[in-house]
Amino acid sequence: MMRAGARQYVVARPLYSEESFSEEHEKVYRHRKTMLDHVKQYFTCDAKRAKNAALSLLPVIGWLRIYRLKEWLLSDIVSGVSTGLVAVLQGLAYCLLASLPPWYGLFSAFFPVIIYFFLGTSRHISVGPFPVLCLMIGSAVTRLVPDEGPPANITGFEGLSRDEQRVLVASSITFLVGCMQLAMGVLQVGFVVMYLSDTLISGFTTAAAVHILISQLKFVLGLHVPGISGPLSLIYTLEIIFNKISSTNVCDVVISLVIMVVVFIVKELNDRYKSKLPVPIPIEVIMTVIVCGVSYAFNFKDRFGVDVVGHIPKGYETPIAPDLQIFEGTAVEAFPMAIVGFAVAFSVAKVYSVKHDYIIDGNQELIAFGVSNIFGASFKSFAASTALSRSAVQESTGGKTQIAGLLSAIVVMIVTLAIGFLLQPLPKSVLGAVIIVNLKGMLMQVRDVPYLWRKDKPDCVVWITTCVASILLGLDIGLAAGLGVELISVVLRVQFPRCSVLANIQGTDIYKDRKDYINIYEPEGVKIFRIPSPIFFANIEFFKSKLVEAVGFNPLRVLRKRNKALRKIRKLLQKGDLQWTSKGLLNTSCGPLNESEDESNVEELDLPTDFKDLPARIDWNARLPANIIVPTVDVHSLILDFAAVSFIDISALKGLKMMLTELIRVEVEVYIVACDTYILEKLHNCCFFDDEVQPSMFFLTLHDAMLHILEKHPESTEKKSDFDRIITTVTVHHPEGSLRSRDRNALDPETRF
């Protein structure tokens, strides 16, 4: 029943198959570029392309030309100073995750920012240390240079102290990460990050947060715990911490608890009143300054045995070259670092680009981070990405462009060159406490699990697998495991999609899954089978089995049964045991007929049924004489809905043709509807069609095919009222109440059934 006032449209047009539509409507010829054309275009250069290339490689030129000096400069200065103060603190803190002396974190908050200013396309992210990357670097560093025992056998370690060896490892890994990112950017393969779904990244970063939390317990508790890497390192670290828990430094614990409580409360206030505060309260910086002063005044290091940051050298160190032996030992670990660092930075950049309406280029971002890491590694910094909290500070304090990032680097430089000595009495437990508080966002991602379980169980499995594997096996192996499970889930969804049998919604040209609706109509002997995914080598057999299930019979089995029955009928006719009458076959034998199976020429059973030497065709659905039993086929027409099929490979083409041939040979008419033009072209190019499988089976829409079937098989409708259930003519009504001239010409009474 149509609701009152509902808008309607009515259209009258001819019934179209793909062939008839192509004959009536001429297509526009489009020249298809060959591979050679693409190569020529890629290497062609003119003034315009050179200008675009320069702007692409140096995005700073693009946004500097539109920089609003009076409107943006003050905001960038405020943002730059605020971000710089946070970057100093996070640089010192995150360096602990990388198992390096704290001041090297200041290098990572300076050198990569300078390069990204010129090469990056995001105007709002804050480049520098990222805790997950620092932890992954720390894992490689402690593996090659452990806290206890000799370092790995690497020639470049000779004559270096343990800290210098670790710095060499970190800078070499960073250089390798930069080379990988640069290579991916030059080769235009930035799309690889798309394989890391939000679910996978969420599970991975949650596991990384757990690793970071455990790694900072030794600073919060004031314990000496050697760095452990590899599978189950988290379990072994916890075991050592519990064994040494009686040696906890009470002063460190008290300082950490105070810092965590105060920072947590103020951060919550910042979030709640962010619309009223001109800038977020930099509570980490404030508490750091306060504790640093108190530690100096009361001499925490000597009186309470508190581990402090210690000596911070002034200035920058001389550049170093990476070590090739370290490349060989860390290449497997460097690749996931390159992917994770870029994926996180690109995700954050994409959020801000959408919010502020500008475009970022994934490949250029890879180049920017690649060059940043290569340049930074030469000056002993470690791999850079972006920290979510630091980027949030830069954006929320009014930062408009990367000038804010440049100013934050200047703040870091001032600390490094002039006032770094003021941070020497800072307890490391303060840095650990700041890191733990900043893990709240990543740890709270655990709340996604119930939501994912309710909405999408495969995604939930990806999240849990990635998180658990990363916690137990390590971040690199966990990421690989999560990616593997994610790809398997995608393959399984495509390989085993939800096929359905459609039915007509009464009085419309709409077809939906017959299980979902009440007022549906299915003409007798007609089946509509919807294929909801690409068809390729891995799922063609699945589709065959689902199609057999939908139609209710196996066409190959029916064909073989019919051909066996034909052999038997011919033999009985030759013996005189059967006679052909006007009423059909008549059994003339008085006794029972012996059944003899002739297994010769088994291949002939798969050929079409041949009635040429019989007076008439046999009605296979009627009762047959001589105890001959052949499965009945109640379907005379099958429609395959290809609307969701985006491609078919060669293996699937062979399976599809075999399936269609078997159906046609058991006298089932097959129609394929809504097939993509490029798939149709591929079928022609691959010689898909022959005397049995013909192009005439392709129709423009599902409704066109249904009307064609009803016209060809009027017996499919038991009475006229049934036929009227399917809409057969449509006319477009405009608000003015008249038809356009083109629509009037389209009203051809011959097309109305």
Side-chain angles (χ1 to χ4, degrees):
M1 191 73 180
M2 186 173 295
R3 68 184 188 276
R7 299 179 64 185
Q8 303 179 46
Y9 76 88
V10 184
V11 175
R13 64 166 176 82
L15 188 155
Y16 284 125
S17 66
E18 289 283 358
E19 286 184 331
S20 62
F21 186 81
S22 299
E23 291 171 1
E24 188 170 330
H25 299 275
E26 184 178 357
K27 292 179 67 175
V28 175
Y29 173 75
R30 288 188 294 172
H31 174 68
R32 300 286 175 81
K33 291 183 179 181
T34 63
M35 183 64 71
L36 183 60
D37 293 331
H38 285 289
V39 172
K40 287 181 179 178
Q41 182 180 2
Y42 185 79
F43 288 102
T44 300
C45 185
D46 53 28
K48 184 178 179 181
R49 187 164 186 187
K51 178 183 176 182
N52 291 337
L55 291 175
S56 173
L57 289 174
L58 291 171
V60 62
I61 299 174
W63 58 261
L64 274 181
R65 291 187 304 176
I66 62 172
Y67 191 82
R68 303 173 187 172
L69 190 64
K70 294 181 179 179
E71 298 177 29
W72 291 356
L73 183 59
L74 182 60
S75 297
D76 278 339
I77 291 174
V78 173
S79 175
V81 173
S82 302
T83 308
L85 294 174
V86 175
V88 170
L89 181 58
Q90 290 188 351
L92 295 172
Y94 293 159
C95 207
L96 300 180
L97 298 174
S99 300
L100 300 175
W103 64 85
Y104 286 101
L106 300 178
F107 299 170
S108 299
F110 176 73
F111 291 108
V113 179
I114 302 298
I115 300 300
Y116 190 85
F117 173 81
F118 295 100
L119 301 182
T121 58
S122 174
R123 303 175 195 173
H124 292 88
I125 66 171
S126 175
V127 177
F130 175 53
V132 177
L133 272 186
C134 295
L135 189 67
M136 297 174 77
I137 291 173
S139 176
V141 166
T142 53
R143 181 175 61 83
L144 295 179
V145 187
D147 290 330
E148 299 174 354
N153 186 18
I154 294 176
T155 306
F157 285 170
E158 294 179 2
L160 300 179
S161 65
R162 191 185 67 176
D163 284 345
E164 290 173 337
Q165 292 173 348
R166 290 188 165 186
V167 170
L168 179 61
V169 172
S171 60
S172 297
I173 295 174
T174 300
F175 192 93
L176 185 56
V177 167
C179 290
M180 291 178 176
Q181 290 175 331
L182 180 61
M184 288 190 289
V186 171
L187 296 175
Q188 306 283 295
V189 292
F191 63 88
V192 296
V193 73
M194 302 305 174
Y195 290 102
L196 302 179
S197 67
D198 292 342
T199 305
L200 184 142
I201 291 177
S202 174
F204 177 76
T205 52
T206 303
V210 174
H211 276 279
I212 295 170
L213 175 64
I214 301 303
S215 69
Q216 295 309 295
L217 288 180
K218 63 182 180 182
F219 298 109
V220 170
L221 299 175
L223 301 175
H224 176 70
V225 178
I228 302 173
S229 60
L232 301 180
S233 59
L234 201 71
I235 308 298
Y236 298 140
T237 302
L238 284 173
E239 181 185 7
I240 296 173
I241 290 174
F242 287 136
N243 288 335
K244 294 185 176 183
I245 198 71
S246 58
S247 304
T248 299
N249 188 309
V250 178
C251 185
D252 275 323
V253 173
V254 172
I255 292 173
S256 301
L257 289 176
V258 171
I259 292 291
M260 284 190 283
V261 170
V262 174
V263 171
F264 177 80
I265 292 174
V266 176
K267 275 183 168 290
E268 290 297 311
L269 294 175
N270 279 340
D271 288 339
R272 179 168 296 184
Y273 300 106
K274 60 183 176 182
S275 59
K276 298 180 180 179
L277 292 172
V279 295
I281 301 172
I283 187 60
E284 296 104 324
V285 177
I286 294 172
M287 293 302 296
T288 299
V289 172
I290 293 173
V291 176
C292 196
V294 173
S295 174
Y296 176 76
F298 291 95
N299 194 13
F300 280 2
K301 179 181 179 182
D302 296 330
R303 292 180 63 184
F304 303 108
V306 173
D307 191 12
V308 298
V309 170
H311 175 64
I312 298 180
K314 284 187 177 181
Y316 295 102
E317 300 184 10
T318 56
I320 59 171
D323 190 281
L324 295 181
Q325 278 186 283
I326 297 176
F327 283 0
E328 295 175 5
T330 59
V332 175
E333 294 162 296
F335 183 72
M337 292 182 202
I339 296 296
V340 170
F342 170 65
V344 172
F346 185 72
S347 299
V348 176
K350 190 162 57 174
V351 170
Y352 290 128
S353 70
V354 171
K355 181 178 179 180
H356 296 279
D357 192 24
Y358 61 89
I359 298 173
I360 58 171
D361 182 353
N363 293 310
Q364 180 61 28
E365 286 293 291
L366 272 171
I367 292 173
F369 278 104
V371 176
S372 297
N373 283 323
I374 291 172
F375 181 74
S378 303
F379 289 90
K380 301 183 180 179
S381 76
F382 48 85
S385 179
T386 182
L388 279 67
S389 58
R390 195 169 60 247
S391 295
V393 169
Q394 180 166 320
E395 192 268 344
S396 63
T397 52
K400 304 296 182 184
T401 64
Q402 280 300 328
I403 286 180
L406 185 64
L407 291 173
S408 73
I410 293 174
V411 171
V412 174
M413 182 183 68
I414 292 172
V415 172
T416 305
L417 296 178
I419 60 175
F421 68 92
L422 296 176
L423 296 172
Q424 291 180 4
L426 178 65
K428 288 185 178 180
S429 56
V430 173
L431 300 178
V434 169
I435 291 174
I436 291 175
V437 172
N438 281 306
L439 294 177
K440 178 200 167 188
M442 289 193 285
L443 290 172
M444 293 304 288
Q445 292 176 135
V446 174
R447 295 182 299 181
D448 294 345
V449 175
Y451 173 82
L452 289 172
W453 183 255
R454 291 193 305 269
K455 302 298 182 182
D456 194 328
K457 289 182 174 57
D459 268 1
C460 185
V461 171
V462 170
W463 195 101
I464 293 173
T465 302
T466 305
C467 186
V468 173
S470 298
I471 289 174
L472 296 179
L473 303 179
L475 294 179
D476 48 354
I477 299 176
L479 180 64
L483 183 59
V485 172
E486 181 183 54
L487 294 178
I488 290 173
S489 72
V490 172
V491 170
L492 291 178
R493 293 191 212 194
V494 177
Q495 188 172 351
F496 304 106
R498 183 182 177 275
C499 300
S500 56
V501 177
L502 306 184
N504 177 253
I505 303 297
Q506 290 186 15
T508 72
D509 61 346
I510 298 170
Y511 295 82
K512 294 289 186 180
D513 190 337
R514 65 178 181 180
K515 296 178 181 178
D516 297 336
Y517 293 87
I518 298 173
N519 296 323
I520 60 173
Y521 174 62
E522 296 181 275
E524 185 179 348
V526 181
K527 291 287 184 183
I528 308 171
F529 185 73
R530 183 175 184 273
I531 302 171
S533 77
I535 306 176
F536 60 108
F537 64 93
N539 65 9
I540 184 63
E541 293 301 325
F542 174 78
F543 283 130
K544 284 184 178 181
S545 64
K546 284 296 179 181
L547 183 57
V548 168
E549 181 182 326
V551 298
F553 63 89
N554 186 324
L556 182 59
R557 179 173 174 270
V558 171
L559 179 62
R560 290 176 175 174
K561 287 283 188 179
R562 288 184 179 183
N563 280 326
K564 284 184 179 181
L566 270 178
R567 286 184 183 180
K568 187 172 182 179
I569 289 171
R570 286 192 177 96
K571 288 183 179 181
L572 294 175
L573 286 172
Q574 290 174 2
K575 293 179 180 179
D577 292 334
L578 285 179
Q579 279 189 349
W580 197 281
T581 67
S582 58
K583 295 183 180 180
L585 292 170
L586 180 64
N587 187 357
T588 59
S589 176
C590 297
L593 298 175
N594 296 325
E595 296 188 16
S596 60
E597 292 289 336
D598 183 6
E599 296 299 333
S600 60
N601 298 325
V602 177
E603 295 81 2
E604 294 181 1
L605 297 178
D606 294 344
L607 297 177
T609 50
D610 185 6
F611 301 102
K612 64 182 180 180
D613 57 345
L614 297 177
R617 298 178 67 88
I618 297 175
D619 182 3
W620 295 111
N621 288 334
R623 184 175 180 180
L624 300 176
N627 299 325
I628 297 175
I629 299 175
V630 175
T632 58
V633 176
D634 298 325
V635 177
H636 60 70
S637 300
L638 172 67
I639 302 176
L640 300 179
D641 184 0
F642 269 36
V645 178
S646 56
F647 74 87
I648 302 180
D649 68 1
I650 297 298
S651 301
L653 277 181
K654 295 177 181 177
L656 178 63
K657 183 171 183 178
M658 186 182 301
M659 182 171 60
L660 297 181
T661 302
E662 292 169 0
L663 287 164
I664 292 170
R665 288 178 179 178
V666 295
E667 302 172 4
V668 175
E669 298 170 4
V670 183
Y671 302 92
I672 298 178
V673 301
C675 183
D676 187 87
T677 303
Y678 297 103
I679 293 179
L680 204 53
E681 289 179 5
K682 184 173 184 177
L683 297 180
H684 282 284
N685 295 335
C686 295
C687 302
F688 182 78
F689 301 107
D690 55 23
D691 293 337
E692 292 178 295
V693 181
Q694 299 180 353
S696 58
M697 68 168 53
F698 285 83
F699 277 75
L700 206 60
T701 69
L702 203 161
H703 199 56
D704 283 309
M706 178 61 77
L707 295 180
H708 174 77
I709 292 169
L710 295 181
E711 182 185 23
K712 191 172 182 180
H713 298 274
E715 72 279 359
S716 296
T717 54
E718 296 176 355
K719 49 183 179 292
K720 179 64 178 175
S721 60
D722 286 337
F723 182 68
D724 290 339
R725 293 178 184 175
I726 297 182
I727 189 169
T728 57
T729 59
V730 192
T731 308
V732 178
H733 287 279
H734 295 275
E736 296 81 2
S738 62
L739 292 174
R740 289 179 290 186
S741 58
R742 185 176 64 176
D743 299 321
R744 292 194 190 98
N745 296 332
L747 294 175
D748 181 3
E750 294 182 0
T751 63
R752 303 186 180 186
F753 303 110

